[in-house]
């Protein structure tokens, strides 16, 4: 009874108090007719509360997301089904599903009569504007009586997981001579004979064969280095994404980090569909995804899911212990980088292996400008340092079309450092 009384609304409590007051007055004034009215007024909210309390236990619901993976800017749909399992009629039901702001407005439905013999189907759209692993729910039902005397709130369904992947833009073309072991001139470098000029070394890892230790490099670097004698026969490219919070500007869907994530997804999928093995890594060399150059859409989902769950890193600068591409071609999407970070990136890259960079002029994401004369001096300095280290560099601003940035990146081996997104 106490549980039922807890659902009384303000109107129901006032009616109950009025009934008790009328009963007291009937005894004081010795009025039997007033007592009959008091009994009716007191019994009405109590009976309604008991009825609604019993009804709310007989309502069930299901939720289905179509699809369960949606791209930013795409459209999804949530389908709800509501039914009544008991024979007691249900009163008015107010349904409210929990939807994060990044997926759209929070839907509300009013079901006046819930039939016993069939399910009621409800649906509402989702329009995600920000990538991430989003939680839809919980679905709450507020059951009220026609008189507004009593209401109960109940959670019908918990949370459902929705993966919002970054937006993928169609790209065309490939960097000239793209493929593992290819330099800026498009020629393939192979180990021939016993010459030491073409030897490639990397840091020793646990389990490496000690017979592959390159003693000359070990003595020069004061750490154990091993030879890389074999290379995959298929082309391979590493896409490096700088996701440090300190390296990006802006907030929400218009942040420079979201542009970088979308470009990384577009480039990785374009290269994979072109037959390249693609490895996606962070600015600290952590592998997010490693996909072959063949196979179905499953590998696209691997890349997109990894980027959907990616959160900004709290490290202040780039720190590497070895070549993040392991001798492969490298395409880096970089935010604001310091001089030390440029040297960190350049020192581990072998000579003759293509290194390309999309350098984001992140201050313009806050200022809302993208003309070359308004670009930050630090961005220009970083681009100059990368070019001096043999990198092909393209500077991108908030208004830079991704296909144009990619096309300029493909040509950067011959003509480097062109500014994108503003007058030239």
């Amino acid at each position: 009874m106490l549980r039922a009384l807890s659902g009384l609304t303000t109107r129901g409590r006032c009616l109950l108090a009025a009934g008790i007051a009328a009963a007291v007055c009937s005894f004081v004034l010795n009025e039997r007719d007033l007592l009959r009215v008091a009994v009716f007024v007191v019994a009405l909210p109590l009976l309604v509360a008991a009825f609604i309390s019993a009804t709310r236990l007989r309502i069930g619901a299901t939720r289905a997301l179509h699809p369960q993976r949606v791209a930013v800017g795409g459209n999804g749909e949530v389908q709800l089904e509501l039914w009544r399992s008991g024979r007691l009629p249900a009163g008015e039901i107010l349904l409210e599903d929990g939807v994060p702001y990044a997926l759209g407005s929070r839907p509300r439905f009013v079901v006046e009569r819930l039939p016993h013999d069939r399910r009621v189907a409800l649906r509402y759209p989702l329009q995600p504007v920000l990538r991430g692993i989003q939680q839809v729910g919980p679905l709450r039902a507020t059951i009220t009586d026609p008189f507004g005397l009593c209401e109960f709130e109940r959670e019908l369904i918990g949370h459902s997981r929705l993966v919002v992947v970054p937006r993928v833009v169609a790209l065309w073309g490939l960097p000239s001579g793209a493929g593992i072991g290819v330099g800026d001139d498009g020629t393939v470098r192979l180990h021939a004979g016993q010459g030491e000029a073409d030897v490639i070394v990397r840091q020793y890892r646990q389990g490496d064969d000690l017979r592959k230790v390159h003693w000359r490099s070990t003595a020069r670097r004061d750490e154990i280095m091993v030879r890389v004698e074999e290379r995959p026969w298929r082309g391979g490219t590493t896409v490096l994404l700088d996701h440090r919070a300190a390296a990006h500007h802006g907030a929400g869907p218009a942040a420079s980090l979201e542009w970088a994530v979308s470009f990384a997804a577009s480039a990785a999928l374009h290269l994979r569909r072109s037959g390249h093995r693609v490895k996606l890594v962070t600015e600290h060399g952590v592998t997010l995804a490693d996909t072959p150059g063949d196979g179905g859409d499953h590998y696209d989902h691997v890349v997109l899911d990894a980027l959907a769950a990616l959160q900004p890193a709290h490290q202040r600068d780039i720190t590497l212990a070895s070549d993040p591409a392991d001798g492969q071609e490298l395409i880096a999407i970089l935010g604001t980088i310091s001089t030390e970070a440029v040297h960190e990136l350049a020192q581990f890259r072998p000579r003759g292996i293509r290194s390309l960079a999309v350098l984001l002029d992140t201050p313009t994401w806050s200022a809302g400008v993208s003309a070359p004369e308004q670009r930050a001096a630090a961005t220009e300095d970083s681009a100059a340092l990368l070019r001096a280290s043999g990198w092909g560099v393209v500077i991108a601003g908030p208004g830079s079309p991704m296909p144009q940035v990619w096309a300029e990146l493909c040509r950067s081996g011959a003509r480097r450092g062109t500014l994108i997104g503003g007058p030239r």
Side-chain angles (χ1 to χ4, degrees):
M1 180 58 70
L2 291 177
R3 186 178 181 182
L5 290 176
S6 65
L8 289 175
T9 62
T10 302
R11 181 184 299 178
R13 295 176 186 274
C14 291
L15 191 62
L16 183 63
I20 295 175
V24 172
C25 291
S26 68
F27 284 109
V28 172
L29 302 176
N30 195 22
E31 290 284 344
R32 284 185 179 275
D33 293 337
L34 184 59
L35 181 60
R36 295 189 184 97
V37 173
V39 171
F40 173 77
V41 172
V42 170
L44 181 61
L46 296 179
L47 292 174
V48 169
F51 175 76
I52 297 297
S53 179
T55 301
R56 76 190 185 104
L57 299 177
R58 293 170 172 81
I59 296 177
T62 60
R63 181 199 293 120
L65 305 181
H66 300 285
Q68 294 184 337
R69 181 184 288 102
V70 186
V72 172
N75 294 309
E77 186 179 71
V78 177
Q79 296 181 353
L80 302 173
E81 283 191 345
L82 195 66
W83 69 88
R84 177 165 55 91
S85 59
R87 294 190 174 275
L88 289 175
E92 184 180 84
I93 302 174
L94 172 64
L95 294 175
E96 184 176 9
D97 208 0
V99 175
Y101 76 95
L103 297 180
S105 59
R106 178 168 295 185
R108 290 186 176 183
F109 302 94
V110 176
V111 180
E112 295 184 355
R113 292 184 180 181
L114 189 61
H116 172 69
D117 56 344
R118 64 182 177 87
R119 298 190 175 196
V120 174
L122 305 170
R123 60 184 61 188
Y124 63 90
L126 294 177
Q127 296 177 328
V129 297
L130 189 64
R131 66 174 178 86
I133 308 300
Q134 306 289 352
Q135 299 292 334
V136 178
L139 176 65
R140 298 184 181 276
T142 303
I143 306 170
T144 61
D145 68 286
F147 303 105
L149 301 178
C150 185
E151 66 178 16
F152 287 98
E153 186 177 286
R154 179 187 174 191
E155 182 177 312
L156 300 181
I157 312 175
H159 292 88
S160 298
R161 183 174 180 266
L162 178 69
V163 181
V164 181
V165 300
R167 182 172 62 97
V168 176
V169 178
L171 305 176
W172 293 272
L174 293 171
S176 177
I180 193 165
V182 180
D184 290 334
D185 58 355
T187 59
V188 179
R189 296 176 57 209
L190 300 174
H191 295 296
Q194 301 297 322
E196 289 291 324
D198 288 333
V199 69
I200 294 179
V201 297
R202 61 169 173 82
Q203 283 184 320
Y204 171 83
R205 297 172 184 170
Q206 186 175 4
D208 284 343
D209 190 351
L210 292 177
R211 290 174 296 181
K212 294 183 179 181
V213 174
H214 191 258
W215 297 108
R216 183 177 299 177
S217 298
T218 298
R220 184 169 59 252
R221 300 194 184 188
D222 198 26
E223 57 181 338
I224 300 178
M225 308 297 292
V226 296
R227 294 188 303 273
V228 180
E229 295 179 348
E230 297 179 356
R231 294 183 183 173
W233 67 273
R234 305 202 59 171
T237 304
T238 295
V239 178
L240 183 147
L241 175 61
D242 181 6
H243 72 304
R244 294 170 295 132
H248 291 276
H249 288 71
S256 61
L257 176 60
E258 298 306 314
W259 193 100
V261 170
S262 181
F263 187 84
S266 303
L269 266 58
H270 174 66
L271 290 168
R272 198 198 70 79
R273 293 166 183 172
S274 300
H276 286 249
R277 177 179 179 178
V278 178
K279 184 169 71 169
L280 182 65
V281 302
T282 69
E283 73 282 357
H284 299 294
V286 178
T287 301
L288 298 176
D290 193 351
T291 63
D294 51 11
D297 294 338
H298 164 72
Y299 295 106
D300 290 353
H301 296 332
V302 171
V303 173
L304 293 176
D305 289 353
L307 291 174
L310 189 68
Q311 297 296 321
H314 298 293
Q315 290 85 350
R316 298 294 301 178
D317 215 341
I318 295 177
T319 55
L320 296 170
S322 61
D323 179 14
D326 289 329
Q328 292 183 344
E329 289 185 349
L330 177 65
I331 298 176
I333 299 99
L334 304 172
T336 302
I337 56 174
S338 62
T339 303
E340 293 77 10
V342 172
H343 293 313
E344 192 80 15
L345 285 169
Q347 68 173 331
F348 293 109
R349 293 296 293 156
R351 290 291 180 181
I353 303 298
R354 187 185 305 279
S355 299
L356 304 175
V358 175
L359 184 60
L360 273 60
D361 190 24
T362 55
T364 61
W365 257 266
S366 299
V369 296
S370 59
E373 61 270 12
Q374 295 174 298
R375 296 186 188 275
T379 304
E380 297 286 358
D381 293 342
S382 299
L385 287 173
L386 285 170
R387 295 185 197 116
S389 300
W391 288 55
V393 181
V394 176
I395 300 177
S400 303
M402 293 185 189
Q404 186 179 352
V405 172
W406 176 258
E408 201 63 47
L409 194 67
C410 293
R411 297 192 297 266
S412 63
R415 180 168 56 86
R416 300 180 176 184
T418 302
L419 303 181
I420 302 298
R424 299 181 181 178

